[in-house]
Amino acid sequence: MNVPLKEAVATSKVLVVGSGGIGCEVLKNLALSGFKDIEIIDLDTIDVSNLNRQFLFRKEHVGKPKAVVARESILSYNPDINIKAYHDSITSQDYGLNFFKRFNIVLNALDNRAARNHVNRMCLAADVPLIESGTSGYSGQVELIKKGVTQCYECQPKPPQKTFPGCTIRNTPSEPVHCIVWAKHLFNQLFGEDDPDQDVSPDTEDPEAKIEGQEHTETESGNIKRASTRQWTQEIKYDPAQLFNKFFKNDIEYLLKMENLWKTRKPPVPLTWEQAASHEGDTAEEENNVKSQDMKVWSLSKCTKIFADTVGVLKEELAGKTFLVWDKDDKPAMDFVTACANIRAHIFTISTKSRFEIKSIAGNIIPAIATANAMIAGLVVLHAFRVLLQDYQKCPSIYLRQKSIHSKFVLAADKQIEQANPKCYVCSPQPFVNVFVNTQTMTVKEFETELLKKSLNMVAPDAILDGKGMVVISSEEGETEVNNDKKLNEIGIVDGSILKCDDFLQNYELTVAINHYEPQEKDDPLYKVVANPDELKAKESINGEKNGSEEKKEEESDEDDLMIVNELEDPQEGSSKRRKLNPPEDKDAEDDDLCVVES
Amino acid sequence: MSSPAPKSPEQTDKSKKYDRQLRLWGDHGQNLLENSKVCLINATALGTEILKSLILPGIGSFTIVDGEKVTEEDIGSNFFLESDSIGLSRAQVATQCLLEHNPDVRGDYIDESPEHVMSHTQDFFNKFTVVIATALPEKVLIPLSKYLWESNVPFVVCRSIGFLGYIRLQVKEHTVIEAHPDSENPDLRLLSPWRSLREHLESIDVALLDQKSRSHVPALVILFYYLTKYKELNGGLVPKTRQEKDILRKMIRDSPVADEGSIKLLEENFEEAIRYTNTCLAPPSIPHNVQAILDDDCCKNLTQNSPPFWIMCAALREFVECEETLPIKGSLPDMAADTTSYITLQQLYHRQAELQAEIIYRKASDIARDLGLPMDTITQNEVKMFCKHASELQVIRGSCIADEYERTRLDLSFYLEDPDSLMFYYVILRGLERFISEFNTYPGQFDDQVEPDVLKLKGIIGKLLSEWSCSQVLRDERVHEVCRYGGAEIHSVSAVLGGCAAHEVIKLITHQYKPLDNAFIYDAISSNSATFCL
Ligand SMILES: [Zn+2]
């Protein structure tokens, strides 16, 4: 290392966001490169499944905050480094613009898109260079984000995160993942925190179920009101037979009454506790003793037994607590979900899955190994050297691809740095975006949480209706609460309206053009966000090819498919169009929940 | 059959700890890893980085061979040496530090130089699953490479110097059963169904199904039904060209809907059947790589020393001679269908695969017995796995490093035509190694010697190039650059390289994925890397 670099390293202040798989390695590399002033932030605590790669943690650290333990481990190697650890979320209001401005460089080692988007905006606003990185199994990526020099993290639209319409989950599941989401919701209904978005009983509001000229009337057998599901469960003392008959017999019988649903679908078959318990095992699968218990697909009778057993165990665990939190690594919780998902799959004649596969889907598990993290973290710090010398042009994005059977070109660097997208709704000079919403049915509150927060990733937005100068959404408490339950058109937000949105924390102003839109098909999204009007056409043609085999594959993803999603093309064909469709997503990530949207 | 033995708590603990990687290489890959013995020569920063990435995922044991004492410079670049360990045995300190990172891994060290170990302990190195060496001088590298080549122990040689990195894999013969190809077509055998499958498929008349049953019949049944229709209309021929397949697709699309009242929407399973026409109508063939393996001398001329892989290949060869196809994979892709019909089909495929695996297992057992090998040489599970991946088999035969060093002509001119080729760094590294053997120091290691060392190194490189009859000249700045490094390791470069090398070692141990063939050069200044076959 030459003298200017040594000096730059010794005097720089670095922020590492995340101390998981990549974060641990990055911290070690920084410490051994001569960095003296490091801050680290991570919200997570240490889990056993981290230990196969997050080498700053050991078994005795399980349950402790990652940031704190990582700091101690680095200090025990070199006590002379100044490290500050925050066990906190980077999206908290405590880490505003002035916090970010204190650093010479920010290194992301995150596991979810929302936090990545947020740090991207903070670094753009503070004009601090950011190195973004991630791994997923054998694949990985490192890229520099520097205002005015490179593209930002949000320049290229990313594929939307998987969501499922509520009525598909509650009424008409057709794939294993629908049953798995339902089973997780059932867990929360019985043992978890109450969440009205996670209802598991038949949805009588399903537009498809409505019969012309005939209103549905609630019938006694059909539905125990959501608020009292837990209460009823407690009244029957978590009796497994009664619970089973309610969810797998009575509710299914009620669904069958919504005849419209079953005109083109195979109707489900209600299942009683007695039938299920005495159902004969699927012998071909049972006798296959090669595979471990995890790999086997349980028979219906086994699922039923495990349902009863886990209800008993979870009931005990719940005693004295207000609720349980579902965790894929908690055995009874995971067993319960496996059993319920498979029982429901059986009822709807959907293929059943092994516990191992269900865990992958329910926990959204992305495989992770030490080797890929080590490579990526090394590249991150080498990029940081060049950034500190302001040698930005020498920081092209680098991709790691390990799966190719040609065993060539393990690391591939772009030929040059990527220019910013002039129409990016985050980093362009005048950020602008089109949104497509149903202005007659969407409430102001929904617009705030679903669009501004979830979709556009704002943290504390304010919105002013252009022309009228009226504040419709305010981040000040109490200021615009009266608008919450109003429909958009009731306060004058209609097709053609312009909203000036502003997030003070992110120092981010965005002009939002409203387009009235009503979903046509059942699978249409409830709303759409389009940064570049040219994309509209492209997006529609993609929608036209829906139900394609690739789509299906992605949903039933096992670990191989997850990797295929991240497969990158041959770097030798160095055109700039590659990779944009499939950026390695949510790397070293695992806890992003499967989302459900209400329909 | 007996049920699997209940797992001990220790085992379930392990499966929790290793959950995220089991999803990549499976229980059987993990088993191989946990039974592996890894040797590291020289606990440099690169060496310990490699070992760290092998200890975390849980290799069985490691042994460090290193006669050096810890220096201040070591501590500055190596995370696994404590700051108060200067002057102590580097092998010992690194072993203790590394062991803390996974209590399931055993570790050991030899506080002697590799040279000493080689000359004093016969057959020390051939008991390892793989041997890794960093910063190994030429004079030890060459005999060790010969020895490990003869013993067929994989050898991974790595070097990290300044912003430059190098990995070289030496394998005499390495076999891969699970190559994990990027994409795979389902193995359905619709063109030549075996009897039970054919009878089952023929028993369903798709045209006569009512609307409800129509929407639940598996795509496979639909495709077979219309394929049969197509063959009837075309003199028994199957569709091959795009036009012919279009006709078949149209037949499926136009399939009459029984219920005349409703709007005609093609059901999902019919759409699926149309999609399968793209991938599932090719006659089963034996891929080149597999045919080459079946024709290999190792497959034809078995001996008592033949490893199970080749015995299974010989059994497969007999099977293929008789059946003219590879055994069926036995898995069915997910498809829109009701559970009963799907499971019926799934079991037909599953049973056929079991049956064929059983035949191959019996053949393999017979072969093993005829060779006078014990009964348990080959297990049924091994054969099942082998049959499932029969189309992916790979045999890699590398080259010996000693040959590469002793060969007088090394034809690099092809690569060196390109002035930007990273092959220049290979030349420099070879020059560097010769420099070290001649002067017993790294070029540029002493500040006042940089300029004279540049001249010496240039001389050595020039000599090497002329030995190889290469007319190209190296750019001076590249030689200067390497002398400026003075042999120092940059930790982040070693981190990148350590990850790469460890990953190759995992491929070798698990026999999954095709390993690097056979040299990798990484230039951290330009972020470029390249693979060469030496
Ligand atoms: Zn941007």
Side-chain angles (χ1 to χ4, degrees), chain A residues 55 102 228:
Chain A
F55 73 101
R102 294 188 300 128
S228 64

Side-chain angles (χ1 to χ4, degrees), chain A residues 120 124 150-156 420-421 424-428:
Chain A
N120 177 48
L124 289 171
T150 72
Q151 63 174 15
C152 83
Y153 185 70
E154 296 170 86
C155 268
Q156 304 298 336
N421 171 6
C424 174
Y425 68 77
V426 176
C427 72
S428 62

